[in-house]
Amino acid sequence: MRYATVVISPEGGGLQPADQALAGDPTVTRDAIHQINLLSDGSCVSLYSVRGSLDAVAEILDEQDDVIAHDVSGDHEGLAYIHFQPTETVRRLLSITQDNEIVLKTPIDCLESGGVRVTLVGDDGTIQRVVDSIPDSLTLSLEGIGDYHPDSEQLFSVLTERQQEILEAAVEMGYYEVPRNATHEDIAGEVGVSAGTVGEHLRKVEGKVLSTLVQ
């Protein structure tokens, strides 16, 4: 079994008008898409995790012509259920995954640029066919490809989204390298929290990962 992780970048900063509007608002952060389904009537439903001003999320969705209905729940961090009419590009993307023997891993990471990071799981031939079918209007970049090992995904899944974010930043910035190339303060500046919060989350991350390994 193989995987390929790709970044799909649309022109204009969003795959869908509502998605573009959320990505362009500085008070809102789209963290991930936990589920997205193409319905038999041609409309779509999606479930986002969002951070920031959830009142702003609801107001943005109220103003979008492509949104049929929505429900936003939570405080500073929460979920946004969106029922919408997809663009032709989004419809084609979802049809590609439905028409091929491929697994689209969720959650799908949402990027600040408006794009998404997607991991496809299947055999090499099917992955290549899916990649080749992605519309030319989208920019595609490959981030990783190789044998798929679900055990490593299960380890990551025991962490909260904020813990995953801080851990990813710590690894990318060299916190776990010898000698250490980043401090709690460096990571805090990258993810927008206090250094104390970074330290607390990393201690919890290390405890969860070690507990999972020795079970």
Short mmCIF file of all heavy atoms in Angstrom, two decimals, residues 8-25 30 111-115 137-139:
data_model
loop_
_atom_site.label_atom_id
_atom_site.label_comp_id
_atom_site.label_asym_id
_atom_site.label_seq_id
_atom_site.Cartn_x
_atom_site.Cartn_y
_atom_site.Cartn_z
N ILE A 8 -2.65 21.09 -2.93
CA ILE A 8 -3.45 21.59 -4.03
C ILE A 8 -3.72 23.07 -3.78
O ILE A 8 -4.29 23.44 -2.75
CB ILE A 8 -4.78 20.82 -4.15
CG1 ILE A 8 -4.50 19.33 -4.38
CG2 ILE A 8 -5.64 21.39 -5.27
CD1 ILE A 8 -5.75 18.47 -4.38
N SER A 9 -3.26 23.91 -4.71
CA SER A 9 -3.37 25.35 -4.54
C SER A 9 -4.23 25.95 -5.65
O SER A 9 -3.87 25.85 -6.83
CB SER A 9 -1.99 26.00 -4.56
OG SER A 9 -1.16 25.47 -3.56
N PRO A 10 -5.36 26.55 -5.30
CA PRO A 10 -6.21 27.18 -6.30
C PRO A 10 -5.79 28.62 -6.55
O PRO A 10 -5.12 29.24 -5.72
CB PRO A 10 -7.60 27.13 -5.65
CG PRO A 10 -7.29 27.25 -4.19
CD PRO A 10 -5.96 26.56 -3.96
N GLU A 11 -6.18 29.16 -7.69
CA GLU A 11 -6.00 30.58 -7.94
C GLU A 11 -7.01 31.35 -7.09
O GLU A 11 -8.14 30.93 -6.94
CB GLU A 11 -6.23 30.89 -9.42
CG GLU A 11 -5.20 30.28 -10.35
CD GLU A 11 -5.43 30.66 -11.79
OE1 GLU A 11 -6.36 31.46 -12.04
OE2 GLU A 11 -4.71 30.15 -12.66
N GLY A 12 -6.57 32.45 -6.53
CA GLY A 12 -7.48 33.29 -5.76
C GLY A 12 -7.59 32.96 -4.30
O GLY A 12 -8.29 33.64 -3.56
N GLY A 13 -6.91 31.90 -3.84
CA GLY A 13 -6.85 31.64 -2.40
C GLY A 13 -7.98 30.83 -1.82
O GLY A 13 -8.26 30.93 -0.63
N GLY A 14 -8.66 30.00 -2.61
CA GLY A 14 -9.70 29.15 -2.06
C GLY A 14 -10.32 28.30 -3.14
O GLY A 14 -10.48 28.72 -4.28
N LEU A 15 -10.68 27.06 -2.78
CA LEU A 15 -11.28 26.14 -3.74
C LEU A 15 -12.73 26.49 -4.03
O LEU A 15 -13.27 26.13 -5.06
CB LEU A 15 -11.20 24.71 -3.21
CG LEU A 15 -9.81 24.07 -3.21
CD1 LEU A 15 -9.82 22.80 -2.37
CD2 LEU A 15 -9.36 23.77 -4.62
N GLN A 16 -13.35 27.18 -3.10
CA GLN A 16 -14.78 27.46 -3.14
C GLN A 16 -14.95 28.91 -2.66
O GLN A 16 -14.18 29.37 -1.84
CB GLN A 16 -15.48 26.49 -2.18
CG GLN A 16 -16.97 26.47 -2.19
CD GLN A 16 -17.55 25.77 -3.40
OE1 GLN A 16 -16.89 24.92 -4.00
NE2 GLN A 16 -18.76 26.13 -3.77
N PRO A 17 -15.95 29.67 -3.17
CA PRO A 17 -16.12 31.04 -2.69
C PRO A 17 -16.16 31.17 -1.16
O PRO A 17 -15.51 32.05 -0.59
CB PRO A 17 -17.43 31.48 -3.33
CG PRO A 17 -17.48 30.71 -4.61
CD PRO A 17 -16.88 29.36 -4.28
N ALA A 18 -16.92 30.29 -0.50
CA ALA A 18 -16.99 30.36 0.96
C ALA A 18 -15.63 30.06 1.58
O ALA A 18 -15.21 30.72 2.54
CB ALA A 18 -18.04 29.39 1.48
N ASP A 19 -14.93 29.07 1.05
CA ASP A 19 -13.62 28.71 1.54
C ASP A 19 -12.64 29.86 1.34
O ASP A 19 -11.82 30.18 2.21
CB ASP A 19 -13.12 27.45 0.80
CG ASP A 19 -11.83 26.92 1.37
OD1 ASP A 19 -11.82 26.52 2.54
OD2 ASP A 19 -10.83 26.90 0.64
N GLN A 20 -12.73 30.51 0.18
CA GLN A 20 -11.86 31.66 -0.11
C GLN A 20 -12.13 32.81 0.85
O GLN A 20 -11.20 33.47 1.32
CB GLN A 20 -12.08 32.11 -1.55
CG GLN A 20 -11.18 33.26 -1.98
CD GLN A 20 -11.34 33.58 -3.46
OE1 GLN A 20 -11.91 32.80 -4.22
NE2 GLN A 20 -10.85 34.72 -3.86
N ALA A 21 -13.40 33.05 1.15
CA ALA A 21 -13.75 34.12 2.09
C ALA A 21 -13.23 33.84 3.49
O ALA A 21 -12.71 34.73 4.17
CB ALA A 21 -15.27 34.31 2.11
N LEU A 22 -13.32 32.58 3.94
CA LEU A 22 -12.79 32.23 5.26
C LEU A 22 -11.28 32.36 5.29
O LEU A 22 -10.70 32.87 6.25
CB LEU A 22 -13.19 30.79 5.60
CG LEU A 22 -14.67 30.53 5.88
CD1 LEU A 22 -14.93 29.03 6.02
CD2 LEU A 22 -15.14 31.26 7.13
N ALA A 23 -10.61 31.90 4.22
CA ALA A 23 -9.15 31.97 4.17
C ALA A 23 -8.65 33.41 4.15
O ALA A 23 -7.56 33.70 4.64
CB ALA A 23 -8.64 31.23 2.93
N GLY A 24 -9.46 34.31 3.60
CA GLY A 24 -9.03 35.70 3.48
C GLY A 24 -9.33 36.57 4.67
O GLY A 24 -8.92 37.73 4.71
N ASP A 25 -10.02 36.05 5.68
CA ASP A 25 -10.36 36.84 6.86
C ASP A 25 -9.28 36.65 7.93
O ASP A 25 -9.04 35.52 8.38
CB ASP A 25 -11.72 36.41 7.41
CG ASP A 25 -12.23 37.37 8.47
OD1 ASP A 25 -11.56 37.51 9.53
OD2 ASP A 25 -13.28 37.98 8.26
N ARG A 30 -8.82 28.48 9.24
CA ARG A 30 -9.34 27.17 8.83
C ARG A 30 -8.27 26.14 9.17
O ARG A 30 -7.21 26.14 8.59
CB ARG A 30 -9.60 27.11 7.32
CG ARG A 30 -10.50 28.15 6.80
CD ARG A 30 -10.11 28.69 5.41
NE ARG A 30 -9.85 27.68 4.39
CZ ARG A 30 -8.61 27.37 3.96
NH1 ARG A 30 -7.55 27.97 4.48
NH2 ARG A 30 -8.46 26.47 3.01
N LEU A 111 -4.44 25.24 4.47
CA LEU A 111 -3.25 26.08 4.50
C LEU A 111 -3.64 27.56 4.47
O LEU A 111 -4.69 27.93 3.94
CB LEU A 111 -2.35 25.75 3.32
CG LEU A 111 -2.00 24.26 3.17
CD1 LEU A 111 -1.14 24.04 1.94
CD2 LEU A 111 -1.31 23.74 4.43
N GLU A 112 -2.77 28.41 5.04
CA GLU A 112 -3.06 29.84 5.10
C GLU A 112 -3.24 30.44 3.71
O GLU A 112 -3.98 31.40 3.53
CB GLU A 112 -1.92 30.57 5.83
CG GLU A 112 -1.88 30.29 7.33
CD GLU A 112 -0.82 31.13 8.02
OE1 GLU A 112 -0.21 31.99 7.34
OE2 GLU A 112 -0.60 30.92 9.23
N SER A 113 -2.58 29.87 2.73
CA SER A 113 -2.66 30.38 1.35
C SER A 113 -4.03 30.12 0.72
O SER A 113 -4.35 30.68 -0.34
CB SER A 113 -1.59 29.71 0.49
OG SER A 113 -1.81 28.30 0.44
N GLY A 114 -4.85 29.29 1.35
CA GLY A 114 -6.14 28.92 0.79
C GLY A 114 -6.14 27.53 0.19
O GLY A 114 -7.20 27.00 -0.15
N GLY A 115 -4.96 26.94 0.04
CA GLY A 115 -4.87 25.59 -0.48
C GLY A 115 -5.11 24.54 0.58
O GLY A 115 -5.43 24.85 1.74
N SER A 137 -6.42 23.85 -13.78
CA SER A 137 -6.58 25.17 -13.15
C SER A 137 -5.99 25.22 -11.74
O SER A 137 -5.88 26.30 -11.16
CB SER A 137 -8.07 25.54 -13.10
OG SER A 137 -8.80 24.57 -12.36
N LEU A 138 -5.64 24.05 -11.20
CA LEU A 138 -5.06 23.98 -9.86
C LEU A 138 -3.57 23.69 -9.94
O LEU A 138 -3.11 22.96 -10.82
CB LEU A 138 -5.74 22.86 -9.06
CG LEU A 138 -7.25 23.01 -8.86
CD1 LEU A 138 -7.82 21.75 -8.22
CD2 LEU A 138 -7.58 24.23 -8.03
N THR A 139 -2.82 24.29 -9.02
CA THR A 139 -1.39 24.01 -8.91
C THR A 139 -1.19 22.86 -7.93
O THR A 139 -1.74 22.87 -6.82
CB THR A 139 -0.63 25.25 -8.41
OG1 THR A 139 -0.83 26.32 -9.33
CG2 THR A 139 0.86 24.96 -8.30
#
